[in-house]
Each structure stands twice: as C-alpha cells, then as structure tokens.
Amino acid sequence: MSNGILNRQNENKSIAMLAAQRQLYRDVKNLNTFLVTLSVWIPLILSIILLFIPKENTCWKHTTYVLSIVSMICSFTIDKCIEQKKQLAAFIQQKFDLYVYKMPWDKRIFGKNKNVDYEVAIYSKKILDNSQEAEKLKNWYNPKVDEKNIIDGILSCQRENFWWDVGLRKRFRLLSIILIISLLIMILAMGLWNDDKIIELSFRFAFILPMLKWLLTVVKKLNKDIRTLEELDSDINDDEIKTMEDLQDIQKLIFQHRKGCYAIPEFIYKMFKDNDEDMVHRVLKM
C-alpha cells in the first residue's frame, strides 16, 4: 500500500519548490566560487605578479599587498549574501519535505512558518523553463520508500538526505587543507627564490592572510557540518522504534544543517555525489 510520498513529491507544487531551492543553491555555489577567487586566486596571482615588479618600485609592490587585503574585505560582503540565499533555500526545502512527509509544522521545533510562494515562483522559473532539468527533479526520493509505512518511509527519506553528504564534506575538507597549504608554501618559496629580505617576506602575509581566513572559515563550517551529520547518523540508525515526534526532532537537525552547511563547489559535488548516492539507493532497496 502506498504511503503517498511518491505522488506528493512529483506534484507540480513540489517540483516548483525543488526547482527554487536548487536554483538558490546554485546561486550560492556561484557566489562561493567568486569568494574563492577573492580569497585565494587573486592573492595568488598578485603574489606571482610581484615577482616581475622591480625591487626598487615600492609603490607597485605595496599596491599588490593592498589589493590582496581589499579582496579579503570584499569577501565579507559576499559571505553575507551567501548566508541569506542559503537560509531561503533551506526553508523552501523544509517546506517541501514536510509537505511530502505529511509532517506537521511544529513552531516550537521548526520555528515560525511563512508563505514563500512568491520566492518559489521567482527562483523556480529558470529551471522549470528547461524541461530536461525539471524532469530530473522527479523522484527526488527513491520511489522504493513509497512501499513502506509512512514512518519508515520518512525515515528512509531522511537517511537519504545525509548519508552521501558526510563523506563529501570530509573529502572537500581534506582537499581544501592540501590546496591552501600548498599555495602558502608556494608563496613563501617565491619570496625566497626572489631573494626577499625578512621584512619583504613578512609583507607576503598580505597574500597569505585572505587564504588562511578562507580556509579557517571553511574548515570550521565543515567540522560543524560533520558533527551534525554524525549526530543525525546516531539518531537515525539507533535501534529504537521511531514515532512522528522522533522524526520531527531528526527533521529539525536536518533543517539546521541545511541552513548553516557549507555549499560544496559544483565540480566536487558532481565528482563524488553520484557514486555516494548510488550506495544509498542500494541500501534503501535492501
């Protein structure tokens, strides 16, 4: 007997919500790419340009240092915009989940509910106008969950939300650390190769500081994400029989994670996501 999840997730209003949150997350990822450019690639390019500036031309040398710091300051504005879009995307996805699950919106657990139909209409348009992209949003959750009772079906959907995500974040954290450490060594090595004096080497921290700021921010967010996902793993996979109230508590954690999690770059997302999600789908079929 069907629990209704399959039908509800493929209704027009559900597809519109999915399209809106997907477009918002794409915007967030594009802003994140711009943020990486400001914090990592511009300082790196400026440090390379510095190699070709004559030592006696102190004005241009100081300009490269200042531009690097300015790029870091600009990144704070981008950060704020990212957080706003991410909050809206998470809220829309929460509305989708609760509708599909037929789970009550408990103000005490999820906070104040609000109407986001206008935002859904605005942000969903681009994807819905592309029939191929819109088609990909169907069967957001594995159709197999429709054969389970509603409690087990919701639990399977919630499990599907995070199993692949934790591995993705651990990989990206490692890649980020390796990248920044390599670039820091490169920047200092360029100074030594250029026979910079101690004071000139210290000025190169103007290039290093934005990178460190980016790395520390990203690692802090990823560490928080991983802790939340591990807490979810513990709550979802314990041996206790779940009630709707238990599922609401789990959904609260998922909602909080979405609102605060770091948006993984699209190329990393595509590189690992399909394999990880395929593993989840195989488990769900057991």
Side-chain angles (χ1 to χ4, degrees):
M1 183 175 178
S2 169
N3 57 37
I5 289 177
L6 178 61
N7 288 332
R8 287 192 294 273
Q9 73 174 350
N10 289 322
E11 291 176 9
N12 289 338
K13 66 178 289 185
S14 298
I15 297 299
M17 285 190 280
L18 289 174
Q21 64 86 20
R22 173 163 285 186
Q23 185 59 51
L24 281 163
Y25 279 124
R26 280 183 182 174
D27 293 345
V28 166
K29 290 175 182 180
N30 289 335
L31 286 170
N32 257 342
T33 299
F34 186 42
L35 187 63
V36 173
T37 300
L38 288 172
S39 302
V40 178
W41 304 124
I42 287 179
L44 177 64
I45 291 169
L46 290 170
S47 69
I48 294 172
I49 290 174
L50 188 60
L51 290 174
F52 301 97
I53 298 176
K55 286 184 175 294
E56 60 274 11
N57 195 336
T58 56
C59 180
W60 279 106
K61 290 173 69 175
H62 291 159
T63 299
T64 61
Y65 303 141
V66 171
L67 287 174
S68 182
I69 297 301
V70 168
S71 71
M72 181 181 72
I73 294 172
C74 290
S75 70
F76 288 101
T77 303
I78 305 300
D79 261 329
K80 185 176 180 181
C81 188
I82 286 172
E83 291 305 312
Q84 290 172 344
K85 283 184 175 287
K86 195 164 56 178
Q87 293 274 329
L88 178 57
F91 190 87
I92 292 172
Q93 195 165 2
Q94 178 76 346
K95 297 270 282 188
F96 165 81
D97 276 347
L98 296 196
Y99 174 72
V100 169
Y101 301 159
K102 284 299 179 185
M103 180 183 287
W105 186 291
D106 191 322
K107 182 179 178 181
R108 178 184 58 84
I109 298 174
F110 305 129
K112 187 177 179 180
N113 196 0
K114 62 181 179 180
N115 189 309
V116 289
D117 289 349
Y118 176 77
E119 289 83 354
V120 169
I122 292 296
Y123 288 104
S124 64
K125 186 178 186 305
K126 185 175 181 180
I127 289 178
L128 292 182
D129 285 346
N130 185 324
S131 59
Q132 287 185 331
E133 277 208 86
E135 188 67 25
K136 292 177 182 178
L137 297 174
K138 292 184 178 179
N139 295 329
W140 185 260
Y141 293 121
N142 193 310
K144 289 286 184 182
V145 303
D146 198 60
E147 302 168 5
K148 303 181 179 183
N149 65 63
I150 189 63
I151 296 296
D152 289 340
I154 293 172
L155 189 62
S156 293
C157 293
Q158 290 177 327
R159 185 177 289 121
E160 196 173 339
N161 269 309
F162 81 93
W163 268 11
W164 60 267
D165 199 29
V166 64
L168 196 65
R169 292 178 188 282
K170 288 180 178 180
R171 292 185 187 109
F172 184 68
R173 181 180 59 183
L174 178 60
L175 289 173
S176 299
I177 293 170
I178 292 172
L179 171 66
I180 297 303
I181 289 176
S182 300
L183 293 181
L184 298 188
I185 293 172
M186 184 188 304
I187 288 171
L188 292 175
M190 284 190 289
L192 294 172
W193 181 78
N194 202 37
D195 291 329
D196 286 351
K197 296 179 181 178
I198 297 297
I199 187 66
E200 292 171 325
L201 279 174
S202 65
F203 283 151
R204 284 185 171 269
F205 276 92
F207 307 131
I208 291 174
L209 189 60
M211 296 183 183
L212 285 177
K213 179 259 180 188
W214 177 83
L215 179 63
L216 293 175
T217 300
V218 168
V219 169
K220 181 180 178 181
K221 287 182 179 180
L222 290 172
N223 286 341
K224 181 181 177 182
D225 294 346
I226 292 166
R227 284 195 301 270
T228 301
L229 291 168
E230 288 174 346
E231 183 180 351
L232 274 167
D233 180 44
S234 175
D235 289 347
I236 287 179
N237 293 313
D238 61 32
D239 293 330
E240 295 181 4
I241 297 175
K242 300 293 188 293
T243 64
M244 183 60 76
E245 288 74 20
D246 294 327
L247 299 181
Q248 285 178 309
D249 290 337
I250 291 170
Q251 191 65 29
K252 177 184 177 181
L253 279 176
I254 292 173
F255 187 27
Q256 290 173 338
H257 169 66
R258 287 171 177 162
K259 289 192 291 184
C261 69
Y262 183 80
I264 303 293
E266 194 68 20
F267 76 96
I268 297 289
Y269 187 82
K270 290 179 178 178
M271 189 184 304
F272 296 112
K273 180 176 183 287
D274 289 342
N275 288 336
D276 288 351
E277 283 195 311
D278 182 60
M279 179 273 291
V280 176
H281 290 162
R282 291 198 303 272
V283 171
L284 289 172
K285 292 176 182 178
M286 292 179 179

